[in-house]
Amino acid sequence: MDRDQLIVPGLRHLPANFIWGVATSAFQIEGAADRRGESIWDVFCRRPGAIADGSDGLTACAHVDRLDADLDLIASLGVDAYRFSIAWPRIQTEGSGAPRSDGLGFYDRLIDGLLARGIQPYATLYHWDLPQALQLRFGGWPGRETAYRFADYADTVSRRFGDRIVSFATLNEPWVVAVLGHEQGIFAPGLRSRAMAMQASHHLLVGHGLATQAIRANCQAEVGIVLNMSPIHPLTDTDADRAKAAIDDGLINRWYMDALHVGQYPADVLAHLGADAPQQLPGDAALVSQPVEFIGVNYYTRSFASTGEPWSAQASGAAVTDMGWEIYPEGLTELLVRLHQDWKGPRLIVTENGAAFADQLVDGEVDDQPRVEYLATHLAAVDEAVRRGVNVTGYFVWSLMDNFEWASGYRKRFGIVHVDYDTLKRTPKRSARWVSELLRQRAAQRLANAS
Ligand code: IFM
């Protein structure tokens, strides 16, 4: 088959062994809250006004109770891999101590069900659902003890599942946990202190380092960390906006990449933070910067830095998703090329990319052509980065199915599969059929190349 006949004709550079997948996280889809401990998100959801539609994660998509059907759904897409997260409070009710056999059993069934269907399990250990007991006992991530508890949990999980997990990510988006959770207070645990946010960010990275050691001691799986990153552009060409862009870039991108690669936070950002900079212990730098096999890149949009009025994508007339985020695929190429050039580190995997749109279920169908276009243009952006020499080895669509979108509740739909929250019925959208067709063509091409 001629590559130009593919449904994304530009994809000429992605290697034959490129990993295609879909992604979810535990709190956003699992439900079955009666079979796990309480997390900080359960508590945050009860705070009046915290969640746009007043909802919570108690039922979510009831994935735990629909596991087999959901596994068949994933398999029907033809993906190579499924990225999911493990709910820490489903393994350890209070974040420490003996693991729960029902929780371990659930993930055994999930992992074995994936393998039986020829799908590689990619597990994330922490996608924001900290056991509430650790928030109460140690103050959560601003307390260093939480990092030690995280390492114990990583040890338990990698002992049990490490023989079958292909890829472990320690953390998902530590910037979001630190800043949205501890400085802006719009995500759990809902605190508002820059000093706490920065201390949390350091302890998250210490936890990442300790968890990496624990996983390595137990299994051969690759280990990495998932970061949300975006290019930060100055809104105007003034010195003030350029300086702001440099600091914003330092806070969201360089903070994590420098720490992971050279063990040091950027000097300009430390100076900017002053007394809010985190306390570190001797040895932390080496722990945080130990080698990993991959950096996971979660990309949705770019950001603008301005010392004046904040930039609004809608007001500027840019094309936006239902989150109000500008649709800017070029930013993905820019980001991947920059990561490759500035840090030359481990290979990159696009661990999340996707878009919310106000999908409508009409006569049993969801025609989400804007999502198809979003995915096609962003895949082309990945292909362009690979053409420019960047080592990107996989791409995961966020998300497999509509789910609990944190402070937006169930109002924002990111799935390629529609979920009816009254009946919990799953309906593949046009984008799901598009993904399957893309992967069917890719498989046919592999066969043709092999013969
Ligand atoms: O839904 C989230 C996910 O949990 C983390 N990355 C961004 C997604 C969309 O907001």
Side-chain angles (χ1 to χ4, degrees), residues 24-25 28 83 127-128 172-173 176 187 226 228 298-300 323 325 351-356 398-399 403-406 408 412 414:
T24 61
S25 89
Q28 293 179 273
R83 176 175 177 245
H127 198 125
W128 310 353
N172 184 72
E173 302 183 357
V176 169
F187 278 16
V226 172
N228 57 299
N298 290 357
Y299 174 82
Y300 290 90
M323 299 296 280
W325 299 344
T351 35
E352 284 182 27
N353 177 238
W398 185 270
S399 180
N403 58 52
F404 177 76
E405 178 52 26
W406 308 111
S408 304
K412 304 294 177 190
F414 273 90

Side-chain angles (χ1 to χ4, degrees), residues 1 27 32 58 80 85 205 259 268 320 326 348 351 361 371 431 443:
M1 181 187 298
F27 191 86
L58 299 181
D80 303 311
S85 79
L205 288 172
D268 60 329
V320 294
E326 181 193 17
L348 305 174
T351 35
L361 184 65
R371 184 172 290 104
S431 57

Side-chain angles (χ1 to χ4, degrees), residues 37-38 87-100 129-138 145-157:
E38 190 169 62
W88 187 350
R90 198 177 290 289
I91 301 294
Q92 294 175 309
T93 309
E94 303 211 327
S96 56
R100 298 175 59 124
D129 42 358
L130 185 74
Q132 171 66 8
L134 297 182
Q135 191 68 35
L136 295 175
R137 278 178 78 190
F138 306 121
E145 195 61 30
T146 295
Y148 300 130
R149 299 282 75 76
F150 182 60
D152 289 348
Y153 155 69
D155 176 57
T156 300
V157 165

